[in-house]
Amino acid sequence: MTKNTPSSIKKLLIGGLTATFVLGGASSALASDHPGKGNWENSKKEQSKWEQKAEKESKGKKDTKNKFKADFNDMVGGDVEWANRHIASLAALKVFEGYEDGTFQPRKPVTRLEAITAAVRLLGLRDQAESEEAKNSPLNFKDADKLTEKYPWAVGYVSVALKNDLFLETESSIKPEAPADRLWATMLLVKAMKLEDEAKAKMNTKLDFKDADQIPAGAVGYVAVALEKGLIQGYENGKFLPNKPVTRAELAALLDRTGDQIPDVGHSLRAGTVVYGVSNNTLTIRQGNENVYLSLEPDAFIFKNGVRVKASDIQPGDFVKVRLYNNTIVFVDVIHSEYGNALIARGGFEKFTVDQQGKISSITITEKVNGQEKSVTYAVEGDVRLIGDTSKLVLNQPKTQVELSGKNNKVQIIQVIQN
């Protein structure tokens, strides 16, 4: 970690969102017709040069707001604009970003190598993947020579992914340039969440999709867990489309939802109900039974209803998700802002009830009623948001404390409270 200074935060945000990007460098290498051009090391050098230039330009200027953009040149159109908040959230984690020319290319299909790289970074293993030891690790895949020759920067990422069980037992090839389809990406992220055993236990789940017969029997449990965790959903036509390639915008959403629920990523995540509006660059939210006071970076990216807004638009009663860098907020997502959205209950988790698609339809918790503990079941909205180490819920760990928030006594947010 770098020192907690304004310039270090600005370097993260500028470098992460508007110019030379970490995974963008990897993507450029993948897109290059010549393996020797646009490689990982050159991308890192160019990033360093750009950041140094940006830092020099920012010195002596009082107003640097125009240097921070939440929108890329090509993030235009209703089919992709919804992904802006997911992209900004991931930029705070330095996981999955854009290209050197200021574009994100949201409609571009993601390759397997891009998805694996992003998943490794989401797990906080970037330094390990870029270490000399990982780069020189032997790989026993059939196409390992192709990876070493064409994408040498990726050897460490594949090695770390393999050590962390991100590959299926049946995969004998990396297929770096193959499109990452919805089923493959779903299985990758469930494995990243360390929920493979739970997936195997749900292989007999009935998936209520019109094309459920296109989902292999050995993958049913992975889809069931992903649906239960809110990582992915079907389409309005009732299909899952397992073989449909995932776009960069779609992967951003998948990664962001997964990151909300991985413990090791959660250190940079806070979520709660706003107690006071932003004052003196401080945001106060309610977590559990106490108020938490968080410093807000003046150039933080703030989204409400999918649109970037000002800090003054954050209102008391809003339920927000924030990401921190060096203990300072760099990203805010107002998840619910309807008046009346509030804490419904808190207590110890007991069980979920799921529908035929595997989505949570109700949740039962143990809460105190008139001084006595009692099991109470609440209905859950179909698009419920799960925040915190929700693997504890799937694993049914006893005494896991949860907060249920929503409207009209129907749960819209399930948050695991750190004990």
Side-chain angles (χ1 to χ4, degrees):
M1 277 288 184
T2 58
K3 273 189 167 183
N4 183 12
T5 62
S7 62
S8 66
I9 294 173
K10 293 180 189 299
K11 284 173 67 177
L12 166 71
L13 293 174
I14 296 174
L17 284 175
T18 61
T20 305
F21 299 97
V22 180
L23 191 56
S27 303
S28 299
L30 292 176
S32 176
D33 293 328
H34 304 285
K37 294 183 179 180
N39 61 45
W40 180 252
E41 292 300 328
N42 287 338
S43 178
K44 286 179 70 178
K45 290 178 182 177
E46 289 301 315
Q47 178 180 359
S48 178
K49 289 179 183 177
W50 196 95
E51 288 179 343
Q52 290 172 15
K53 180 181 178 183
E55 186 173 8
K56 287 180 180 179
E57 290 178 349
S58 67
K59 289 182 179 180
K61 293 185 179 182
K62 294 181 179 180
D63 184 8
T64 59
K65 289 184 179 179
N66 292 330
K67 288 185 176 295
F68 305 99
K69 295 182 180 180
D71 299 321
F72 292 97
N73 301 334
D74 56 348
M75 289 299 295
V76 179
D79 62 324
V80 295
E81 289 176 356
W82 57 270
N84 272 317
R85 61 189 178 90
H86 297 296
I87 294 166
S89 176
L90 293 171
L93 294 172
K94 301 180 73 174
V95 170
F96 186 64
E97 295 129 352
Y99 290 86
E100 297 176 4
D101 60 0
T103 64
F104 187 79
Q105 300 186 26
R107 301 170 183 86
K108 181 182 177 181
V110 170
T111 66
R112 290 194 178 194
L113 188 55
E114 286 178 302
I116 290 169
T117 301
V120 168
R121 289 183 179 165
L122 190 66
L123 292 173
L125 301 173
R126 176 183 171 186
D127 288 344
Q128 184 179 334
E130 294 179 14
S131 68
E132 290 302 317
E133 180 182 358
K135 289 178 183 178
N136 295 312
S137 297
L139 299 174
N140 294 322
F141 292 100
K142 292 179 179 178
D143 52 356
D145 290 343
K146 178 180 179 181
L147 184 79
T148 303
E149 178 183 347
K150 199 168 183 180
Y151 312 113
W153 60 265
V155 172
Y157 280 94
V158 172
S159 174
V160 170
L162 186 61
K163 290 179 180 178
N164 284 272
D165 299 320
L166 298 188
F167 284 93
L168 298 174
E169 297 172 355
T170 56
E171 289 183 290
S172 58
S173 298
I174 304 166
K175 300 179 182 178
E177 297 169 338
D181 60 49
R182 279 168 55 83
L183 182 60
W184 183 88
T186 296
M187 298 174 76
L188 172 71
L189 294 179
V190 169
K191 289 175 74 65
M193 295 181 75
K194 310 298 182 186
L195 295 176
E196 186 172 17
D197 289 343
E198 288 65 44
K200 290 180 178 179
K202 293 179 180 290
M203 290 301 179
N204 292 324
T205 300
K206 181 177 177 173
L207 299 175
D208 192 24
F209 294 113
K210 292 180 180 179
D211 56 352
D213 59 337
Q214 295 182 26
I215 300 174
V220 169
Y222 289 92
V223 175
V225 169
L227 289 167
E228 183 179 289
K229 303 286 282 182
L231 303 183
I232 199 167
Q233 57 188 10
Y235 289 90
E236 292 181 358
N237 61 6
K239 294 184 178 181
F240 184 76
L241 301 182
N243 301 315
K244 181 179 181 292
V246 175
T247 66
R248 286 173 57 81
E250 290 169 338
L251 183 63
L254 287 171
L255 291 167
D256 192 25
R257 293 170 192 150
T258 303
D260 284 354
Q261 302 177 54
I262 295 179
D264 291 339
V265 176
H267 71 278
S268 71
L269 174 69
R270 298 287 185 275
T273 302
V274 175
V275 180
Y276 308 113
V278 176
S279 177
N280 295 323
N281 287 332
T282 299
L283 178 64
T284 306
I285 64 174
R286 188 78 172 174
Q287 282 191 303
N289 294 315
E290 61 182 28
N291 289 345
V292 179
Y293 303 89
L294 300 169
S295 296
L296 181 71
E297 161 67 26
D299 298 299
F301 295 100
I302 303 170
F303 288 85
K304 195 169 188 175
N305 298 322
V307 178
R308 192 179 182 190
V309 298
K310 299 177 181 178
S312 58
D313 291 313
I314 303 175
Q315 299 295 318
D318 287 350
F319 191 95
V320 298
K321 156 191 160 181
V322 304
R323 288 216 177 273
L324 309 176
Y325 180 73
N326 286 345
N327 296 318
T328 300
I329 297 173
V330 294
F331 169 82
V332 181
D333 184 12
V334 179
I335 297 176
H336 283 293
S337 59
E338 302 94 339
Y339 180 78
N341 180 268
L343 177 71
I344 292 176
R346 63 170 61 94
F349 169 75
E350 288 189 14
K351 65 179 180 180
F352 284 143
T353 298
V354 298
D355 59 22
Q356 287 186 326
Q357 285 192 358
K359 292 184 179 181
I360 301 169
S361 56
S362 69
I363 182 172
T364 301
I365 67 172
T366 300
E367 60 179 285
K368 285 189 177 181
V369 179
N370 297 325
Q372 295 184 338
E373 289 192 345
K374 183 179 179 180
S375 293
V376 182
T377 300
Y378 294 93
V380 174
E381 290 277 15
D383 59 347
V384 64
R385 287 286 294 269
L386 289 88
I387 297 175
D389 185 7
T390 51
S391 63
K392 293 181 179 178
L393 307 187
V394 177
L395 295 170
N396 198 24
Q397 293 186 9
K399 298 182 179 180
T400 297
Q401 293 296 304
V402 297
E403 282 192 352
L404 311 180
S405 301
K407 195 174 181 182
N408 299 325
N409 223 37
K410 197 159 187 179
V411 178
Q412 296 172 316
I413 302 163
I414 300 173
Q415 181 179 8
V416 174
I417 304 300
Q418 294 181 353
N419 296 323

